């Protein structure tokens, strides 16, 4: 039997099986096709970026590994992204960091302009993909002390305020050019390695700087701001200025989006439980879906319990108010595969959530039929979701099943391994 026919046949049988559970697979796939996932450009080159003297990561984040074929310039990174986009079905966006500017001449962070990102805007238009954006407050001599917007040095604070303002203009230009709002996420590395005696002063300085960065009202049609909290980073173990409580309060008070990164909490604390609470107090959420292993290690996202719980909460709380971004960086494996595996996992988790008999489960919970609810949830885990996802891939002209790996291996031989 031809492969396409086999995929179709398996889908028809899965569709019938789900129908027995009261779930319509066609509707689930139509909903899945509309949920964009923002791929993070920084997985493609270990968070180096393309500034002239690219400093690499710092500020408590770290990519390890030296798998061959790392993209060295915007053209190579875009080529790898083109390839990844061919292996991932459904709606996609690209999430850029300010250090990924495309400029022949060196430009300091406080002087960047939309024109330095024109080639990315052109690429996004061709791909029919939205763009998201991030100021880069790390990997720079003025961030050497791990204090940027909260620095006691006014000169340092002002430099980074200028960077934040420049980035918001770039984000708005991207959103305007693409007719699709750009989400700009602010994360800063600020914190202290050891005993901190005036946390309050640092946090007050951060409020002052953020107020200056966000002072200009920009149209939500073009760009929207999110702020990302964190518990700790390497070198800032004792105090992170932009903690969860800090940014939750700041976002609520200033009507911004909160960004929840799954690696930024205590090891047993999960973001899936936070979504429904936070959405009662902010209009929209941004997620950085990542995988912490013992710490904020940013491993490739797996199809694990927490990913499925996050996806279920996205579907239950309304995917239109939750923006999904990925945030991990692994240099020990093919970086294009890292994007592909992680993004497909995110999508599979969303599909699994869309295929749950949610109304029935909620009704059981309401009448405290806990045994039946548990039995039904467990039963759902072994329904033929893979056949539904394969069909989604085939329908979108993307390799179904493990076939994507063959394409990556051919690409790395032909393109990536020739880079040195
Ligand atoms: C760091 C944050 C932040 C970064 C990216 C590169 O811990 O998660 O989102 O990973 O901005
Ligand atoms: Zn993050």
């Amino acid at each position: 039997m031809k492969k396409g026919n086999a995929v179709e046949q398996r889908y028809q049988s899965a569709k019938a099986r789900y129908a027995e559970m009261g779930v319509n697979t066609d509707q689930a796939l139509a909903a899945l096709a509309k949920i964009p996932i923002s791929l993070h450009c920084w997985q493609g080159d270990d968070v180096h970026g393309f500034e002239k003297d690219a400093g690499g990561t710092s500020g408590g984040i770290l990519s390890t590994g030296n798998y061959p074929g790392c993209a060295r310039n915007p053209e190579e990174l875009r080529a790898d992204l083109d390839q990844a986009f061919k292996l991932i079905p459904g709606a996609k966006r690209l999430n850029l960091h300010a250090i990924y500017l495309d400029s022949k001449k060196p430009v300091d962070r406080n002087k960047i302009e939309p024109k330095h990102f024109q080639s990315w805007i052109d690429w996004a238009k061709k791909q029919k993909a939205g763009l998201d954006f991030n100021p880069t407050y790390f990997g720079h001599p003025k961030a050497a002390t791990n204090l940027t917007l909260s620095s006691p040095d006014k000169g340092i604070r002002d430099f980074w305020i200028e960077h934040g303002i420049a980035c918001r203009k770039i984000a708005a230009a991207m959103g305007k050019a693409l007719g699709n709002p750009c989400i700009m996420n602010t994360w800063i590395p600020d914190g202290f390695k050891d005993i901190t005696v005036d946390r309050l002063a640092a946090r007050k300085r951060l409020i002052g700087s953020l107020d200056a960065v966000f002072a200009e009202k920009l149209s939500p049609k073009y760009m929207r701001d999110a702020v990302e909290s964190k518990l700790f980073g390497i070198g800032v173990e004792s105090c992170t200025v932009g903690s969860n409580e800090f940014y939750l309060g700041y976002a609520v008070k200033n009507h911004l989006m909160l960004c929840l990164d799954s690696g930024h909490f205590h090891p047993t604390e999960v973001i899936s439980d936070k979504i429904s609470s936070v959405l009662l107090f902010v209009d929209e959420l941004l997620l950085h879906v990542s995988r912490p292993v013992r710490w904020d290690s940013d491993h490739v996202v797996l199809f694990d319990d927490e990913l499925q719980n996050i996806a279920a909460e996205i579907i239950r709380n309304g995917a239109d108010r939750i923006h999904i971004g990925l945030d991990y960086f692994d240099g020990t494996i093919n970086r294009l595969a890292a994007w592909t595996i992680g993004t497909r996992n995110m999508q599979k988790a969303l599909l699994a959530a869309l295929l749950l008999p949610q109304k029935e489960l909620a009704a059981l919970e309401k009448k405290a039929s806990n045994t039946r609810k548990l039995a039904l949830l467990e039963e759902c885990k072994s329904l033929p979701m893979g056949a539904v996802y394969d069909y989604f891939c085939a329908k979108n002209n993307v390799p179904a099943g493990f076939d994507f790996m063959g394409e990556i291996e051919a690409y790395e031989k032909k393109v990536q391994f020739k880079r040195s």
Side-chain angles (χ1 to χ4, degrees):
M1 195 190 318
K2 280 252 264 327
K3 185 139 196 198
N5 293 343
V7 168
E8 167 82 36
Q9 216 171 64
R10 283 199 296 268
Y11 176 68
Q12 291 307 335
S13 123
K15 184 175 165 170
R17 181 72 186 91
Y18 274 103
E20 286 170 16
M21 308 293 287
V23 174
N24 183 319
T25 53
D26 290 335
Q27 275 171 15
L29 288 182
L32 184 65
K34 289 202 199 109
I35 307 177
I37 301 177
S38 196
L39 275 77
H40 50 315
C41 75
W42 52 94
Q43 165 59 68
D45 76 331
D46 308 339
V47 211
H48 268 95
F50 306 129
E51 282 178 331
K52 195 154 169 308
D53 304 307
T57 51
S58 72
I61 59 174
L62 184 68
S63 172
T64 55
N66 53 1
Y67 193 85
C70 191
R72 296 163 301 181
N73 52 51
E75 290 74 32
E76 289 181 356
L77 190 60
R78 281 193 284 265
D80 293 356
L81 282 161
D82 282 335
Q83 184 59 41
F85 273 39
K86 283 186 204 151
L87 303 175
I88 301 162
K92 293 169 285 288
R93 303 173 63 83
L94 176 67
N95 197 3
L96 282 168
H97 240 283
I99 47 172
Y100 288 81
L101 78 175
D102 193 351
S103 168
K104 297 272 170 287
K105 284 196 224 126
V107 199
D108 208 354
R109 301 263 177 100
N110 59 340
K111 296 274 184 279
I112 51 172
E113 294 176 47
K115 67 176 184 204
H116 301 121
F117 295 86
Q118 190 56 47
S119 63
W120 286 109
I121 295 173
D122 297 341
W123 176 87
K125 270 191 193 152
K126 246 200 287 167
Q127 280 286 358
K128 297 195 173 54
L131 285 177
D132 297 313
F133 198 58
N134 304 258
T136 313
Y137 290 99
F138 54 82
H140 188 281
K142 288 199 165 69
T145 59
N146 281 332
L147 290 170
T148 63
L149 291 178
S150 75
S151 169
D153 180 332
K154 184 169 182 306
I156 300 265
R157 279 202 313 279
D158 286 346
F159 173 82
W160 289 114
I161 289 170
E162 285 171 26
H163 176 59
I165 291 172
C167 284
R168 289 186 77 231
K169 295 203 166 113
I170 293 165
M174 286 175 168
K176 191 171 182 188
L178 297 170
N180 188 332
C182 172
I183 313 288
M184 188 182 108
N185 180 51
T186 293
W187 174 74
I188 61 167
D190 294 36
F192 297 88
K193 182 183 174 76
D194 218 330
I195 316 291
T196 313
V197 298
D198 202 352
R199 292 164 192 257
L200 181 62
R203 290 184 167 133
K204 281 185 173 164
R205 287 192 295 266
L206 179 53
I207 289 193
S209 297
L210 291 171
D211 287 351
V213 169
F214 297 129
E216 189 180 348
K217 182 117 187 62
L218 297 171
S219 167
K221 256 174 56 196
Y222 301 144
M223 73 85 67
R224 299 176 198 178
D225 289 292
V227 285
E228 180 181 10
S229 73
K230 190 165 178 173
L231 177 65
F232 82 98
I234 297 175
V236 290
E237 289 85 355
S238 296
C239 170
T240 296
V241 183
S243 60
N244 182 43
E245 293 72 14
F246 178 92
Y247 278 126
L248 178 59
Y250 193 83
V252 170
K253 188 168 172 191
N254 296 287
H255 308 285
L256 303 178
M257 257 185 240
L258 186 72
C259 171
L260 294 172
D261 182 309
S262 39
H264 286 192
F265 295 87
H266 282 280
T268 60
E269 195 177 351
V270 286
I271 65 163
S272 52
D273 179 51
K274 301 179 188 298
I275 293 172
S276 54
S277 294
V278 175
L279 276 178
L280 292 171
F281 303 100
V282 299
D283 291 337
E284 291 175 289
L285 256 181
L286 172 64
L287 301 182
H288 269 189
V289 183
S290 190
R291 179 167 54 105
V293 177
R294 302 191 190 282
W295 66 288
D296 179 34
S297 59
D298 293 294
H299 279 61
V300 177
V301 164
L302 300 186
F303 187 72
D304 58 13
D305 283 356
E306 174 55 3
L307 187 70
Q308 292 176 63
N309 291 335
I310 291 170
E313 288 302 308
I314 293 172
I315 300 304
R316 290 167 184 152
N317 287 276
D320 51 333
R321 291 174 63 201
I322 306 171
H323 304 272
I324 307 170
L326 302 174
D327 185 12
Y328 51 78
F329 19 100
D330 188 342
T332 66
I333 59 173
N334 183 302
R335 296 165 184 84
L336 152 61
W339 272 322
T340 310
I341 297 164
T343 313
R344 286 172 67 121
N345 278 339
M346 182 74 242
Q347 237 164 19
K348 285 182 193 167
L350 290 164
L351 177 60
L354 288 161
L355 291 171
L356 284 174
Q358 173 64 17
K359 272 203 189 119
E360 190 179 348
L361 287 164
L364 291 171
E365 186 165 280
K366 204 169 164 195
K367 58 180 186 200
S369 284
N370 293 333
T371 313
R372 215 180 160 81
K373 181 182 75 176
L374 181 68
L376 182 54
L377 274 169
E378 287 306 290
E379 204 48 41
C380 290
K381 286 184 180 168
S382 50
L383 291 175
M385 193 271 287
V388 182
Y389 189 70
D390 282 351
Y391 179 73
F392 184 63
C393 290
K395 246 183 37 174
N396 286 283
N397 299 315
V398 158
F402 195 49
D403 286 0
F404 74 84
M405 210 40 231
E407 303 220 5
I408 290 176
E409 280 154 0
Y411 180 82
E412 69 177 7
K413 229 167 120 193
K414 201 171 124 210
V415 181
Q416 291 174 306
F417 287 174
K418 298 221 167 110
R419 299 171 187 160
S420 55

